Amino acid sequence: MKILTQDETRRITDRVMAFTKADECTVTINGNRTGNIRYARNNVSTAGLVENTQLSVSVAYGKKQGTATINEFDDKSLEKVVRRAEDLARLAPENPEFMPAVAKQAFKPSATFNAKTAAIDPEFRAQAAAYSIEASRKNKLVCAGFFTDTTSFETIANSNGVFGHQQATSLDFTCTVRTEDGRGSGWVKRSAGDVALFDAREASDVAIEKALRSVDARALEPGRYTVILEPAATSDLIGFMLSGFDARQADEGRSFLSKKGGGNRLGEKLFDQQVNIWADPWDKDVPVLPWDNNTMLPRERMAMIKDGRVASLDYSPYWAKKMGKRPVGSPGNMIMAGTSKSTADLIANTKKGVLVTRTWYIRLVDPQSVLLTGLTRDGTFYIENGKIKHPIKNFRFNESPVTMLNNIEEIGKPQIIAGDEVQYSMLIPPMKVRDFNFTSLSDAV
Amino acid sequence: MERRTFLNLSGLAMGSLLVPVFGNAVAAEELLTPLAEKYKKTLADIALNAATKAGASYCDVRVGRYLNQFITTRDLNVENVVNTESAGVGVRVLCNGAYGFAATSDMSPDSVAGAARQAVAIAKANAKLQAEPVQLAPVKGVGEVAWATPFKKDWRAVPIKEKADLLIAANKAGMDGGASFMRSVMFQVNQQKYFASTDGSYIDQDIHRIWVPLTATAVDKSTNKFRSRQGLSSPVGMGYEYLDARAADKVRAAGGVATLYKGSYDLIEDARAAGRQAKEKLTAKSVAPGKYDLVLSPEHLWLTIHESVGHPTELDRVLGYEANYAGTSFATLDKWQSKKFKYGSDMVNIIADKTIPGSLGAVGYDDEGVKCKHWDIIKDGVLVNYQATRDQAHIIGEKESHGCSYADSWSSVQFQRMPNISLAAGTKKLTPDQMIKDVKKGIYIVGDGSFSIDQQRYNFQFGGQLFFEIVNGKIGAQLEDVAYQSNTQEFWNACSAICDDSDWRMGGSFFDGKGQPGQVSTVSHGASTARFNGINVINTARKIG
């Protein structure tokens, strides 16, 4: 299935609306073309291209709603999917929290599409893999990696006149390089919407250098350390915490943002003064679609944490109405303010500390305090007098991102990073944080 | 484990994110009409012929139809009811010693033949980069055979209202029990899988699974404290009869602290207990960190087995194929070759088995047409084997595959996935209550909680649902803020007692993830209650601003 144009999807949404007699109808069309190449043991193991387009139709009779999806677009199929949605709506119990479709909205386009990224072909993917394979072989190392690129579009429409259509591109690259004897491991991750910002050779060299430098790691006693966390080490921790910025959970008393006695902690200073995090669908580095397809509401540039204070919470349309708030589309990206300092600058300013390349297998231990556990991986080093002294064994940590963002000593230059387990596009700086809590050692390399 | 999906699941607060994820919505009346076997065989033959004509030395075809139904509820409201369907054909070939794979949702003869030819073209391109040709362990064709999950009640035929009413009744019971908020979800799966290969097999399988997770949350606004307790059910390879609770299937936990389930599940009873125990957690005693003897119920231990034995003994991880994402393994080939690597104490026997009735991994044949079986992974504490597919068997000197191949969709390529991996019951008669009598300072843990393990599966940390202190052989008060940390080999060597087979039951996962792009698999892990001496317990309580 090709990437559909605005005219093509408008014709489809118009046809769908015409087929239903339900009280209201909302339609979403998503399509993507995703290419990938996977390699391991210095050999390509799989490569592929997946194309998928899906139409979702949701109709409502009063407070009874039904949703159906299909991947065929002829008139007969469009009518079929509408009838299925209507059947499910009639069968469904009435939802007391049902919210009617939103009124017509204006969406200001964001620069999510890059033609050169959309033109990535199998040769480009193979070359991305080849750089790390060839350089690893040359250095007597073993690499494994994954490159994937996506060109996509999304169309939203409803029977109140909402219509939006936009294309997007993205790429992600990860590479793990290990020494042949398994005593060293390095890793790199790169994400971009514009392929011009991606350099497979540069990225591969980072993983190779970390693999070579991480051999013969020494054990450091677990405890609280000053750490320099590269962006991939904090992206999931912060993303995890922000996914808990739900107003309803806070108001109902089951969130770290619940206030004693009732209500939420909006406006309270929970983090260091230096912490500023916002969402902006039009950001030039991490643009996202200007709407949230769950609610079909426009996204806005909005502060999430301002000067260390909780600046906004996420209200679903139902909860916003109940609490008398203006509903806004949920954010799709997350941008954290930084400085012009590089990670090397942060290291140079550190007397004693630990450099963490990435964190791994992060899980919520206690939702009351957002205590997370996880491990360091693929490049953990001891810093002394402004220099990387030697590699150290990996640690398990038990730490809350709330505490982490209270203990910031220095912030570096933000970098584009896609989360491993969070859906946000992110721009995150490296950070120097004091008293980061490592609770045990891991023998894993 | 498919980390993102499972993360959502384990939270359940984000239940609405879980659906729909597996395919196109389908009307209820269409669920019960299977594809005709003759039609599937015709499509398979078209693919086999096209592939061999194009130059494939081997070809297998999977004609798949996957049906799912999800019902999500919050308190006394039904939030969502979704039926999904996904159908198509996947073709894998070997040509010039390399694999090729292609899939299509267009089940016309031309499209299926085209996919087969495309798979061969991909194999030919991959062969140019191939350092060593793929070696497939032989499989004798079985002709036309069929296998089906032995179920009594088809979930597809149970009215949605009946299911929704059950979930709402459970939520009400939880709130009556003491919960401030309840969530419950019903996942129902039917995989209709047809496999054919140039070995001469035509295998038709009809697989059914069900899972009903719930979460009860109690809130004390005066102290700003909230605590949750999740359900103690297991996902199972059964029909809807799993929810017809039978008294004979109820198991009394040690000290009577909970009712546990085996073979069928009393959702209402468990929801009510979850509500009560979530409320009790609000005033539970915070654990003192230190070394404890841990008594772990099967509802908890399955996850520790999954992470610390299941994953590290996957041969593809051992070899490095997952190095860039899920990781490698400490259980390296040299340890296995030594024939004396003490993975655990002498009483630890770990068995791989894809034939256990009611388990999530139970099928007749794997996705390479290999008949399922059981074998030893750890025998008397020693690592003796791995989990292998046809192309891996020769690496560990075996002449036939273990039958560990699985793909999560007709459109995904099959690869090595974990079978049911279980801890064998103890050989001497021992109940959980008898086991606890020998414990001076310990903690009894019931149900699975947070979980995390490093990329080579050494260092892990696990939480749980219910924690009870054990003092001088007796179960005491409920504890909170408990997590234990250990090293895999040290932990299994600290295993000092395992209850007998009267206590053996399975837990499991619906969403075990692996691969890039990621795929999910379902797997069960059986165990009896077991004791581990001198394990490090930490206190997880923290204060934030």
Side-chain angles (χ1 to χ4, degrees):
Chain A
M1 172 61 67
K2 64 174 184 168
I3 298 295
L4 299 176
T5 65
Q6 178 167 313
D7 287 346
E8 288 169 323
T9 61
R10 190 183 282 277
R11 188 198 72 78
I12 293 168
T13 58
D14 286 350
R15 292 296 290 164
V16 168
M17 305 283 180
F19 280 127
T20 184
K21 291 186 175 62
D23 296 342
E24 61 179 50
C25 178
T26 61
V27 183
T28 306
I29 310 175
N30 293 291
N32 60 69
R33 182 174 61 231
T34 301
N36 72 69
I37 188 163
R38 188 186 195 201
Y39 50 102
R41 292 161 63 98
N42 287 346
N43 280 289
V44 172
S45 48
T46 55
L49 183 72
V50 176
E51 295 183 325
N52 193 19
T53 306
Q54 185 165 274
L55 165 70
S56 171
V57 177
S58 188
V59 301
Y61 295 99
K63 293 184 173 184
K64 291 156 70 83
Q65 191 169 25
T67 302
T69 63
I70 202 164
N71 58 2
E72 297 164 288
F73 295 87
D74 56 277
D75 275 5
K76 194 177 162 193
S77 299
L78 297 182
E79 185 167 7
K80 182 167 74 175
V81 73
V82 168
R83 299 293 165 249
R84 284 180 175 178
E86 290 175 343
D87 287 348
L88 278 175
R90 289 189 195 98
L91 279 172
E94 197 167 87
N95 181 0
E97 297 185 4
F98 173 80
M99 290 297 292
V102 298
K104 188 174 180 179
Q105 306 286 332
F107 302 116
K108 179 183 161 191
S110 51
T112 50
F113 180 76
N114 179 282
K116 286 183 180 167
T117 307
I120 288 174
D121 58 15
E123 285 71 33
F124 184 96
R125 294 179 203 116
Q127 191 57 52
Y131 280 130
S132 39
I133 291 173
E134 285 164 9
S136 295
R137 283 180 179 154
K138 201 169 146 189
N139 287 282
K140 295 193 172 164
L141 298 164
V142 185
C143 74
F146 187 63
F147 176 91
T148 182
D149 56 278
T150 299
T151 301
S152 61
F153 73 90
E154 183 172 287
T155 300
I156 58 169
N158 76 15
S159 48
N160 286 343
V162 165
F163 185 86
H165 174 91
Q166 195 163 303
Q167 291 188 36
T169 49
S170 65
L171 69 86
D172 288 287
F173 174 74
T174 50
C175 179
T176 303
V177 178
R178 296 173 63 79
T179 57
E180 285 178 343
D181 61 9
R183 291 188 304 146
S185 182
W187 177 84
V188 71
K189 178 172 193 166
R190 295 286 184 263
S191 305
D194 178 357
V195 67
L197 300 174
F198 171 66
D199 180 345
R201 193 188 302 270
E202 173 274 334
S204 302
D205 286 348
V206 170
I208 286 168
E209 194 210 343
K210 290 209 173 191
L212 291 169
R213 290 184 79 158
S214 63
V215 174
D216 288 336
R218 300 182 207 171
L220 205 63
E221 278 297 307
R224 292 187 177 272
Y225 286 90
T226 292
V227 289
I228 292 171
L229 300 161
E230 293 195 27
T234 58
S235 54
D236 276 6
L237 277 73
I238 296 172
F240 210 114
M241 182 189 75
L242 290 175
S243 68
F245 268 43
D246 180 74
R248 184 175 188 173
Q249 291 216 2
D251 290 339
E252 288 178 339
R254 47 194 181 126
S255 158
F256 71 103
L257 292 170
S258 300
K259 198 171 189 169
K260 194 173 175 181
N264 62 55
R265 303 185 71 177
L266 183 65
E268 287 189 26
K269 192 163 184 299
L270 279 186
F271 312 98
D272 186 278
Q273 180 78 19
Q274 298 175 76
V275 178
N276 282 282
I277 297 177
W278 65 91
D280 182 357
W282 304 285
D283 183 273
K284 67 178 175 49
D285 292 314
V286 283
V288 292
L289 295 177
W291 60 75
D292 151 26
N293 71 358
N294 277 330
T295 62
M296 296 195 176
L297 288 168
R299 287 175 169 149
E300 297 180 359
R301 189 186 197 282
M302 57 191 283
M304 299 159 96
I305 299 173
K306 187 167 175 54
D307 300 333
R309 291 182 188 279
V310 179
S312 62
L313 294 176
D314 191 12
Y315 283 84
S316 67
Y318 169 76
W319 202 247
K321 187 181 176 195
K322 187 176 170 75
M323 305 305 286
K325 302 282 184 180
R326 184 175 68 91
V328 179
S330 293
N333 60 7
M334 191 198 84
I335 300 150
M336 182 169 174
T339 65
S340 59
K341 291 175 190 168
S342 66
T343 304
D345 293 335
L346 301 189
I347 293 169
N349 295 338
T350 303
K351 195 169 180 187
K352 282 185 180 177
V354 173
L355 173 66
V356 179
T357 296
R358 67 182 292 204
T359 49
W360 160 251
Y361 219 133
I362 298 162
R363 287 293 177 274
L364 181 64
V365 177
D366 180 15
Q368 185 90 53
S369 59
V370 209
L371 182 72
L372 303 174
T373 192
L375 298 117
T376 66
R377 177 177 170 182
D378 301 323
T380 309
F381 301 95
Y382 182 62
I383 300 164
E384 201 170 271
N385 296 324
K387 287 189 176 150
I388 292 176
K389 190 90 173 166
H390 55 75
I392 53 176
K393 283 192 168 191
N394 288 304
F395 287 111
R396 169 172 298 286
F397 62 85
N398 274 266
E399 187 59 280
S400 167
V402 180
T403 307
M404 179 183 82
L405 292 177
N406 255 305
N407 289 347
I408 290 179
E409 295 207 330
E410 203 171 6
I411 301 181
K413 186 180 177 185
Q415 295 167 26
I416 300 170
I417 189 107
D420 182 19
E421 298 198 311
V422 294
Q423 304 288 358
Y424 298 112
S425 295
M426 289 181 279
L427 205 54
I428 299 265
M431 282 177 255
K432 181 153 73 170
V433 172
R434 65 181 173 275
D435 293 334
F436 195 85
N437 188 28
F438 293 124
T439 52
S440 57
L441 279 176
S442 158
D443 289 327
V445 176
Chain B
M1 187 147 300
E2 205 295 305
R3 302 174 64 217
R4 179 175 293 126
T5 310
F6 198 88
L7 192 67
N8 291 344
L9 263 181
S10 56
L12 279 184
M14 297 190 285
S16 59
L17 295 178
L18 299 173
V19 290
V21 290
F22 292 117
N24 300 323
V26 58
E29 69 275 12
E30 293 177 54
L31 293 176
L32 288 164
T33 314
L35 297 171
E37 194 176 336
K38 191 177 169 190
Y39 169 63
K40 292 186 276 193
K41 184 171 188 299
T42 301
L43 286 183
D45 281 335
I46 287 167
L48 296 177
N49 291 335
T52 47
K53 199 174 167 189
S57 57
Y58 168 82
C59 174
D60 60 41
V61 188
R62 288 176 294 110
V63 182
R65 182 168 183 253
Y66 297 76
L67 303 172
N68 304 279
Q69 185 178 84
F70 313 97
I71 303 172
T72 58
T73 64
R74 182 190 197 279
D75 300 336
L76 304 183
N77 297 336
V78 174
E79 288 192 323
N80 216 341
V81 181
V82 179
N83 292 335
T84 68
E85 175 187 31
S86 177
V89 180
V91 185
R92 184 179 70 158
V93 302
L94 257 185
C95 187
N96 300 339
Y99 279 131
F101 176 77
T104 177
S105 60
D106 178 354
M107 294 166 81
S108 66
D110 283 351
S111 181
V112 171
R117 287 191 289 270
Q118 190 182 10
V120 174
I122 291 168
K124 285 178 178 174
N126 287 350
K128 292 173 192 161
L129 301 164
Q130 190 85 357
E132 280 180 47
V134 173
Q135 290 182 49
L136 289 186
V139 172
K140 197 175 174 188
V142 293
E144 294 185 33
V145 296
W147 186 92
T149 302
F151 64 87
K152 289 177 184 160
K153 201 184 278 188
D154 192 335
W155 63 260
R156 298 169 300 180
V158 178
I160 287 173
K161 185 173 184 314
E162 185 179 323
K163 298 172 187 174
D165 286 349
L166 177 66
L167 295 177
I168 294 298
N171 290 355
K172 185 174 183 311
M175 293 167 89
D176 289 346
S180 312
F181 302 97
M182 289 292 297
R183 283 197 79 92
S184 58
V185 185
M186 192 178 291
F187 293 91
Q188 302 140 95
V189 173
N190 172 222
Q191 298 183 341
Q192 299 166 19
K193 300 168 75 168
Y194 189 83
F195 173 92
S197 76
T198 48
D199 291 327
S201 293
Y202 294 90
I203 302 166
D204 198 15
Q205 302 196 90
D206 186 37
I207 299 150
H208 291 251
R209 300 180 180 121
I210 191 165
W211 185 29
V212 191
L214 64 87
T215 303
T217 302
V219 175
D220 180 351
K221 287 199 175 179
S222 66
T223 58
N224 200 27
K225 189 172 177 180
F226 63 96
R227 288 289 181 266
S228 293
R229 198 275 241 177
Q230 291 176 14
L232 298 174
S233 74
S234 302
V236 291
M238 294 174 69
Y240 197 78
E241 69 275 9
Y242 180 61
L243 296 171
D244 292 335
R246 293 180 297 272
D249 291 335
K250 293 182 184 180
V251 177
R252 179 183 173 273
V257 296
T259 300
L260 307 170
Y261 306 94
K262 186 178 185 176
S264 69
Y265 177 47
D266 191 333
L267 174 66
I268 307 290
E269 176 188 57
D270 192 34
R272 186 174 292 109
R276 176 173 52 80
Q277 288 173 327
K279 193 174 179 183
E280 287 170 2
K281 279 184 172 189
L282 291 169
T283 52
K285 187 167 101 176
S286 193
V287 71
K291 301 271 187 190
Y292 288 85
D293 292 348
L294 299 183
V295 176
L296 306 179
S297 79
E299 290 72 19
H300 171 89
L301 190 53
W302 76 267
L303 185 52
T304 311
I305 295 168
H306 175 87
E307 299 288 8
S308 69
V309 185
H311 280 306
T313 55
E314 292 167 329
L315 191 49
D316 61 342
R317 292 179 65 117
V318 172
L319 298 172
Y321 287 100
E322 288 285 325
N324 187 48
Y325 184 60
T328 58
S329 172
F330 77 92
T332 47
L333 289 176
D334 58 313
K335 292 188 173 90
W336 162 71
Q337 282 158 343
S338 76
K339 296 181 180 174
K340 56 183 180 187
F341 178 70
K342 282 294 278 181
Y343 206 113
S345 66
D346 289 351
M347 66 179 62
V348 173
N349 287 283
I350 300 277
I351 294 145
D353 191 343
K354 283 173 73 76
T355 69
I356 306 168
S359 68
L360 295 169
V363 288
Y365 299 83
D366 80 345
D367 283 348
E368 290 186 314
V370 177
K371 191 168 174 56
C372 291
K373 59 180 182 179
H374 61 91
W375 68 100
D376 293 325
I377 297 285
I378 296 169
K379 181 89 179 149
D380 301 329
V382 175
L383 174 68
V384 295
N385 213 333
Y386 295 103
Q387 312 153 35
T389 51
R390 288 185 70 183
D391 54 8
Q392 297 170 334
H394 68 280
I395 295 167
I396 49 173
E398 300 219 359
K399 292 191 167 51
E400 63 179 30
S401 165
H402 291 147
C404 290
S405 182
Y406 178 79
D408 67 357
S409 161
W410 54 268
S411 61
S412 306
V413 68
Q414 62 269 59
F415 71 130
Q416 194 266 302
R417 299 308 304 265
M418 192 188 300
N420 302 310
I421 298 281
S422 301
L423 174 68
T427 51
K428 291 178 187 167
K429 186 157 177 53
L430 183 69
T431 67
D433 281 317
Q434 289 168 336
M435 177 183 282
I436 279 166
K437 279 183 184 166
D438 294 338
V439 177
K440 283 188 176 169
K441 180 194 172 194
I443 300 173
Y444 179 40
I445 304 180
V446 179
D448 58 87
S450 69
F451 51 97
S452 174
I453 190 164
D454 70 41
Q455 79 277 13
Q456 289 188 312
R457 308 273 147 176
Y458 286 109
N459 174 305
F460 60 67
Q461 178 175 313
F462 290 95
Q465 289 303 312
L466 295 167
F467 312 94
F468 298 90
E469 66 178 350
I470 306 169
V471 181
N472 296 325
K474 287 189 178 164
I475 288 186
Q478 191 176 170
L479 298 172
E480 66 167 350
D481 309 322
V482 178
Y484 64 92
Q485 289 186 352
S486 189
N487 165 290
T488 295
Q489 196 184 358
E490 288 172 15
F491 175 80
W492 285 103
N493 275 281
C495 183
S496 60
I498 303 173
C499 291
D500 62 56
D501 60 3
S502 64
D503 189 53
W504 198 91
R505 54 195 181 271
M506 291 180 292
S509 168
F510 245 46
F511 298 107
D512 176 31
K514 196 172 155 186
Q516 288 178 303
Q519 291 189 37
V520 292
S521 174
T522 53
V523 61
S524 292
H525 302 278
S528 300
T529 304
R531 189 178 67 213
F532 299 82
N533 289 358
I535 305 299
N536 189 41
V537 169
I538 64 167
N539 181 300
T540 60
R542 295 289 186 281
K543 282 214 179 298
I544 55 170

